[in-house]
Amino acid sequence: PDSAGKWKSAVQLLDLDAANGVLAARGVIAHEFEARRSAMVGDALVSISQRELIAADIADRDAPSILSEVSLAWPVDRCLEVGTHLIQIEDGNWNWYSDNRSAARISPKDNTEAIYAEIDLGEGQVKIVERRGNNLFVLRDTSAKRSGVLYRSAFWPSSGSNELVLDIYDVSNLPTMTLVGSVAVPSGNSGSQLSSTRFLWPRENRPAIFMNPGYSYRYWYGDYVIAEPVAVALNTDGTTVKATTSPKMASVKPYWISDAKPQLIVFDVSNPSAPSAGKAIDFASEGSRLNGASEAANGLVVTGVSHSYNPVSKIWLQNSGAYQSVQVIDVPVSGDPVMRSLIDVPGKLV
């Protein structure tokens, strides 16, 4: 890895002076992934990896330059069919220490190897891609651009304050794919995670996402035995009054339960060239988590919530004992969402 912790791959040029026993490092040729083979072809150095073939001019051995490069293979994490074309999405940053960027590649749908265009989608990892009409909506999580830190996937938390970025592309004239507008929003509480890999659309121009609290990393679960507090009185002669106490059990929060709450983020894409994002809105209570069932329509968002704390008994509950409710949220045409009261239900939404 380099000084920033990113894994870099390159072909290193070396000068060998066998007579004097000297080996000197010269310039490097950047190469996607590990170069498998390299050889001189005429005056050019040709190198091949599992992803690409490059030809380089090494006349200046301290500053070699790329003459040409050809892609041989590429990751495809999801595809979208648009007319006679196929949009192939590479989510990016799938290699542990790589600095790979997400990309979209446009091909005919009947010849996926013929790439007409390749579009850099930016840093971070693509989490959601959806097409509506002539617009392609791409949600990137820039916490995936990190150094030796677990990135946040759909169901794996990370720590720190990061940004989600919503990009809107015009795909009406493929293979040309044009970025129309972008908006960034802080991606919820520290350690928060996307609860789904799709947008919810309560209204035509108001996509929404839920964020779940990340897991805590305490290491104790159970009940502490704590003595009840006792007021100690003094006799007139200065001696103390003897007092006895009985142990009382105090419920302790399980280590995996976060101090944060679930959150809702609603975007406004009525003007694709200038999208906006509302602030992340907390709902439910500390220790609550979304149970994965969420839908949206007719200006409403509905989601299931699991609660790990019983406010009546004041006891933290195991996952199997968590009680369930439904959260209904009104999303207006513009402005902030409005939370309705929680509705208790006998089981999880599915």
Side-chain angles (χ1 to χ4, degrees), residues 270-309:
S270 54
N271 181 359
S273 63
S276 61
K279 64 179 182 180
I281 299 174
D282 290 340
F283 64 94
S285 58
E286 177 187 338
S288 298
R289 292 184 61 81
L290 307 179
N291 62 28
S294 303
E295 292 296 338
N298 302 319
L300 299 176
V301 176
V302 179
T303 186
V305 185
S306 296
H307 304 269
S308 298
Y309 183 71

Side-chain angles (χ1 to χ4, degrees), residues 200-269:
L200 297 168
W201 294 86
R203 295 189 182 275
E204 179 64 25
N205 293 312
R206 303 219 67 187
I209 55 173
F210 280 117
M211 305 295 292
N212 245 333
Y215 292 99
S216 176
Y217 295 98
R218 303 179 184 88
Y219 295 99
W220 174 266
Y221 177 69
D223 293 322
Y224 290 112
V225 178
I226 303 175
E228 293 181 337
V230 176
V232 178
L234 292 176
N235 290 327
T236 56
D237 61 358
T239 60
T240 60
V241 176
K242 292 182 179 181
T244 59
T245 63
S246 59
K248 181 178 181 179
M249 302 301 288
S251 179
V252 178
K253 180 189 294 186
Y255 71 87
W256 59 81
I257 295 178
S258 171
D259 296 328
K261 300 177 181 180
Q263 293 183 313
L264 173 72
I265 300 174
V266 179
F267 299 90
D268 188 332
V269 296

Side-chain angles (χ1 to χ4, degrees), residues 140-164:
R140 291 181 289 118
D141 184 352
T142 58
S143 66
K145 185 177 186 297
R146 78 282 182 251
S147 170
V149 179
L150 289 176
Y151 58 78
R152 176 169 48 243
S153 68
F155 306 102
W156 189 276
S158 67
S159 60
S161 177
N162 304 289
E163 280 192 338
L164 294 170

Side-chain angles (χ1 to χ4, degrees), residues 85-139:
H85 294 89
L86 193 68
I87 302 177
Q88 305 177 32
I89 301 294
E90 178 184 353
D91 286 348
N93 268 328
W94 62 274
N95 198 14
W96 185 256
Y97 285 105
S98 75
D99 197 24
N100 300 325
R101 296 167 72 88
S102 52
R105 297 177 178 90
I106 315 300
S107 71
K109 68 179 182 181
D110 58 356
N111 185 5
T112 58
E113 300 297 316
I115 301 301
Y116 289 163
E118 181 172 325
I119 298 92
D120 182 356
L121 298 180
E123 67 180 25
Q125 189 174 48
V126 171
K127 293 299 181 182
I128 304 176
V129 180
E130 291 184 14
R131 174 196 168 216
R132 290 173 75 88
N134 290 327
N135 291 324
L136 187 71
F137 297 86
V138 180
L139 185 72

Side-chain angles (χ1 to χ4, degrees), residues 293-343:
S294 303
E295 292 296 338
N298 302 319
L300 299 176
V301 176
V302 179
T303 186
V305 185
S306 296
H307 304 269
S308 298
Y309 183 71
N310 188 319
V312 177
S313 63
K314 298 183 179 179
I315 291 177
W316 290 98
L317 307 169
Q318 292 273 9
N319 286 345
S320 59
Y323 71 93
Q324 309 297 323
S325 65
V326 174
Q327 177 73 68
V328 180
I329 305 164
D330 287 290
V331 179
V333 175
S334 62
D336 294 331
V338 178
M339 302 289 169
R340 296 188 183 181
S341 298
L342 288 167
I343 305 170

